């Protein structure tokens, strides 16, 4: 089943995302990542920021520097093996079928420049300029 996303679909997503990230807090050994940084990181990654890096996500979250987010990514103690299973359970519960699969397809987003490290234009058959979007 493919769903076109409309405004009424996304109105409650912020609250649902906050609930999901709060529900995953037990995966973190310390309270700060559990209470703040994980949600800041996930919200930043899902945001409409033009560039997603430590500085832009820290600024979006209201932090003066990217240090807290960088420290979280590099040094936080958490159960990385349990996270995929928890997210999979959440998705299965929300979709109502334990065998369901959620597929997010971003192949229509074409790369505009060759300045990023180790990146090239995507090969996507749906690109308006044809194969390779180049």
């Amino acid at each position: 089943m493919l769903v076109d996303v409309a405004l009424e679909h996304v109105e409650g997503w912020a609250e649902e995302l906050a609930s999901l990230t709060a529900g995953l807090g037990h995966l973190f050994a310390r309270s700060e990542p559990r209470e703040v940084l994980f949600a800041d990181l996930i919200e930043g990654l899902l945001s409409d920021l033009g560039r997603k890096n430590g500085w832009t996500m820290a600024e979006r979250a209201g932090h003066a520097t990217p240090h807290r987010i960088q420290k979280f990514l590099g040094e936080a103690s958490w159960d990385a093996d349990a996270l995929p299973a928890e997210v999979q359970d959440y998705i299965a519960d929300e979709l109502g079928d334990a065998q369901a699969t959620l597929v997010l397809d971003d192949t229509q987003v074409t790369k505009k420049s060759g300045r990023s490290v180790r990146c090239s234009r995507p090969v996507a058959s749906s690109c308006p300029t044809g194969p390779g979007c180049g």
Side-chain angles (χ1 to χ4, degrees):
M1 164 179 86
L2 295 175
V3 177
D4 287 327
V5 178
L7 181 59
E8 59 268 11
H9 291 115
V10 298
E11 287 177 337
W13 286 3
E15 293 81 19
E16 188 65 28
L17 180 61
S19 174
L20 172 61
T21 56
L24 297 172
H26 66 278
L27 299 174
F28 298 93
R30 295 187 38 155
S31 64
E32 183 183 27
R34 178 174 48 242
E35 295 169 2
V36 179
L37 295 174
F38 181 61
D40 289 346
L41 177 66
I42 297 301
E43 289 172 15
L45 290 171
L46 295 174
S47 74
D48 61 351
L49 287 172
R51 298 185 72 168
K52 294 178 177 138
N53 59 46
W55 274 107
T56 58
M57 289 196 293
E59 287 173 350
R60 182 187 181 282
H63 304 298
T65 69
H67 177 73
R68 292 174 71 196
I69 289 180
Q70 290 169 339
K71 185 172 174 104
F72 169 75
L73 290 172
E75 300 175 21
S77 177
W78 59 293
D79 190 349
D81 294 330
L83 181 61
E86 298 255 354
V87 172
Q88 184 177 23
D89 289 345
Y90 171 83
I91 291 171
D93 289 345
E94 291 301 308
L95 293 176
D97 184 350
Q99 300 300 314
T101 302
L102 175 64
V103 178
L104 301 175
D105 180 11
D106 67 349
T107 57
Q108 294 183 19
V109 178
T110 59
K111 183 162 173 35
K112 294 182 174 73
S113 75
R115 295 185 307 179
S116 297
V117 177
R118 298 182 63 207
C119 291
S120 62
R121 290 186 179 271
V123 177
S125 60
S126 61
C127 289
T129 59
C133 296

